[in-house]
Amino acid sequence: MKQSLFCLNPSPLFSRRGFDVDFPLLAGCLLLLGLGTVMIASASSEVASVQTGNSFYNLTRHLIYVLLGLCSTLVVLTIPLKIWQKYGAHLLIFAVVLLVAVLIPGIGRNVNGANRWIGVSFFNIQPSELGKLFVVIYLAGYLVRRKDQVRDTWAGFFKPFVVILPIAWLFLLEPDFGATVVMMGAALAMLFLGGVSMGRFLLMVLISIGAVIFLVLTQEYRMHRLMNFTDPFADQFGSGYQLSQSLIAFGRGDWFGLGLGNSIQKQFYLPEAHTDFVFAVLAEELGLVGSLCTVILFVFVGVRALLIGLHAEQDKQYFSAYTAYGIAILWIGQFLINVGVNVGLLPTKGLTLPFLSYGGSSLVICCVCLGLLLRIDWERRYPAPDISYEFSDKDFPEESLEVKHGR
């Protein structure tokens, strides 16, 4: 049975070599998952106890999400990359349908003034998380199909934005400004790594920066956030409350922290302590040393993902390479924005920390991305044999064509 499964769909799960994956990347991501589970158990206990009467309510839900995520990783490991490449456009259309549906009253859930979720039983689907990943997959396929056009012509460079910009507009309608910035940053980086000239790349960067400035200036709440984060303590009980409480958590953590479970800020002082600001609670309980170790672990995972893409590109597996680059940049972008918000380097923005924050869709998609990276690395090391042959007349000598009877 195992032999037949291997022949039909070779994968790291059904390999003659056993479970053969990039163990450093897997170990790094599992460590982040484990650390995130511990921190969510600590950061959400007080709020869950008051809201539901069960201190472990959020932890239980998070463990379900972790289980779903790990199952998703195993499923993705069995899917050949050529399937993702073939159906990249279909996946993007599916994401667009969900992004439109989430804006329809009665379908999308409104939380804190944003329509970002579609409720399905106990699970909330966040279409923007799917959208970011499927944009990466679609763009990776486009860079393979139109590689020469992207490098040599303006049309080849701008064509993907005809698809990506409407998706960014749907993100902004939710609104989800952070996801828009991360997705557009990943798209630009992929185009640059795909061989776009420096002139075209810099032009698009300038246009993107101008668009960000325009969006900030035209929305009063974004402008207010931009001005507020420069001095949150000027209005620490009003608009600067969340950031000032986050900074207090960092200050209380000192070098080695207050100890696991001993955070004061999580006790109704710091809003969203187990989601957007889980890193602040981590800093308070584990201190500067624990925070730096977490950052180092994130850097290791991000660099490892980039190396997987680099090795795939060196082996001329370009779809795999661009997909790995895109996933790595999504992770790095979300990490930089989330930590930047927590420490006061960026305006407050609701964006989860990959593998660490509480959140069903974000966690499951991170695990799907992990499965894709592990599959990319495995297919690079064990490429499928080329079974396409071209025959010529030399392969059929004339004597072999003579009919020889047994009598």
Side-chain angles (χ1 to χ4, degrees), residues 11-172:
S11 77
L13 299 181
F14 305 113
S15 172
R16 300 185 184 93
R17 304 170 185 86
F19 189 63
D20 184 12
V21 296
D22 187 326
F23 283 104
L25 176 64
L26 178 62
C29 292
L30 290 179
L31 282 173
L32 288 174
L33 272 176
L35 179 61
T37 302
V38 172
M39 293 314 306
I40 287 166
S42 174
S44 67
S45 58
E46 299 295 332
V47 175
S49 178
V50 171
Q51 292 181 346
T52 67
N54 179 8
S55 300
F56 302 107
Y57 175 79
N58 288 325
L59 175 62
T60 303
R61 289 174 63 88
H62 183 74
L63 288 173
I64 294 173
Y65 297 146
V66 169
L67 180 61
L68 288 174
L70 293 176
C71 290
S72 301
T73 301
L74 295 177
V75 171
V76 171
L77 279 172
T78 65
I79 302 175
L81 290 168
K82 62 183 180 182
I83 300 297
W84 295 96
Q85 184 175 4
K86 180 179 179 181
Y87 294 103
H90 299 79
L91 293 173
L92 194 62
I93 292 171
F94 175 67
V96 170
V97 171
L98 292 180
L99 287 168
V100 172
V102 78
L103 300 174
I104 300 175
I107 298 178
R109 289 188 57 204
N110 187 292
V111 179
N112 296 327
N115 291 297
R116 300 179 185 174
W117 298 270
I118 298 175
V120 180
S121 185
F122 73 94
F123 189 76
N124 291 323
I125 297 175
Q126 191 171 356
S128 59
E129 294 292 334
L130 288 170
K132 287 184 293 186
L133 175 59
F134 292 163
V135 162
V136 166
I137 292 172
Y138 168 80
L139 188 54
Y142 175 83
L143 289 172
V144 173
R145 295 191 305 271
R146 301 286 188 265
K147 187 174 182 180
D148 293 335
Q149 292 183 23
V150 169
R151 292 182 174 183
D152 300 331
T153 66
W154 284 97
F157 174 65
F158 280 111
K159 277 181 182 178
F161 290 102
V162 175
V163 176
I164 295 173
L165 288 178
I167 295 174
W169 178 66
L170 291 173
F171 279 15
L172 292 172

Side-chain angles (χ1 to χ4, degrees), residues 158-196:
F158 280 111
K159 277 181 182 178
F161 290 102
V162 175
V163 176
I164 295 173
L165 288 178
I167 295 174
W169 178 66
L170 291 173
F171 279 15
L172 292 172
L173 290 179
E174 294 183 1
D176 196 345
F177 186 66
T180 307
V181 171
V182 171
M183 182 193 71
M184 293 301 295
L188 285 172
M190 289 175 68
L191 285 166
F192 178 71
L193 294 171
V196 169

